Amino acid sequence: MKKRLIVSIGFLLVGLFGCSTQDEETINKSEEPLKVVTTIAQIADAVENIGGEHVDVTSLMGPGVDPHLYNAVQGDIQTLDQADIIFYNGLHLEGQMGEIFEQMEQDKTTTPVSENIPESKLLSDPESPTITDPHVWFDISMWSYSVEAVRDDLINIDPDNEESYSQNAADYLAELEALDIYAKERFEEIPEESRVLVTAHDAFNYFGKAYGFEVVGLQGLSTESDYSVNDVQKIIDLLIDRNVKGVFVESSVSDRSINAVVEGAKEAGHDVSIGGELYSDAMGEAGTEEGTYAGMFKHNVDTIVEALK
Ligand code: ZN
């Protein structure tokens, strides 16, 4: 009798233990969101839209942060360590962090989202042709490759939710395409000769190529480089020559260089104003319209049109 009881309890315990382990595994597989870490918020926006409830996204670089100069802090290393997937832009945008990503690559999915963009579409730095321009998110047709890279990695690591990722990505890409059409229509309001975009650093080359602007950045592709008096004078001449009314500051770059252009133009008798602040390498505050990719892009389009038309 006693023996039978012990055996029964034993079975009962095995039953309970076995059952609860199995349940936990099932729950983990289907409901625990993937931990995704991105560098710039533009990538985080794509992950959030495609991943929805299946992802928990952390963007290391917030509003106003310059990715060229960004250095990982201790908390970042821990965040990256705990991630299931890491997405970064690549093409040396995240200058200081390249080595960290190379190390992380050995034990988890670590993807430069620019990797699928055809090489023929990439632009190089006119001053040093071996350097590729990393600011690919301002040409929607190019950024779509990065969005697809995010989608494909999420599906690879979590195939159970493939349908959801595919559908969300299709919706997101359709939203971006509508934005592309909106931009092209609005830019028609600017006289063709005045489609000149002067900014603090060269973040808008892909944008210029896509939408027909001549683009001049005072500081080159990276904010690490400086500018000369000669650079400022060349830009002032261009503004006068093309009758351009506005120049732009960037949310993540000092406005010192752009102010020098405005002052210099005034001295030369040409009235140029600061046409507003553009989002270049960083987006706006989370929770605001400009804190989303679409909202940031639209803000830039509207700001440029109002200043230059
Ligand atoms: Zn930049």
Side-chain angles (χ1 to χ4, degrees), residues 123 133 135-140 142 180 183-184 187 192 195-199 201-216 242 278 297 300-301 304:
L123 299 174
D133 186 337
H135 304 91
V136 291
W137 53 91
F138 281 130
D139 175 348
I140 286 177
M142 290 187 76
D180 189 46
K184 284 175 179 153
F187 290 142
E192 218 162 307
R195 291 182 198 164
V196 176
L197 191 65
V198 175
T199 58
H201 92 298
D202 260 342
F204 295 93
N205 287 324
Y206 293 106
F207 173 91
K209 196 171 172 227
Y211 303 109
F213 280 79
E214 184 168 336
V215 174
V216 190
R242 303 277 293 271
L278 301 182
F297 197 94
N300 282 358
V301 171
I304 292 167

Side-chain angles (χ1 to χ4, degrees), residues 55 59 91 145 147 186 241 253 298:
V55 296
S59 166
L91 304 173
Y145 289 100
V147 172
R186 281 233 68 190
D241 190 42
V253 185
K298 186 169 179 294

Side-chain angles (χ1 to χ4, degrees), residues 82-100:
Q82 288 164 355
D84 297 310
I85 315 182
I86 298 165
F87 290 116
Y88 64 107
N89 185 74
L91 304 173
H92 302 288
L93 176 76
E94 299 93 344
Q96 321 264 0
M97 296 190 63
E99 267 177 46
I100 297 174

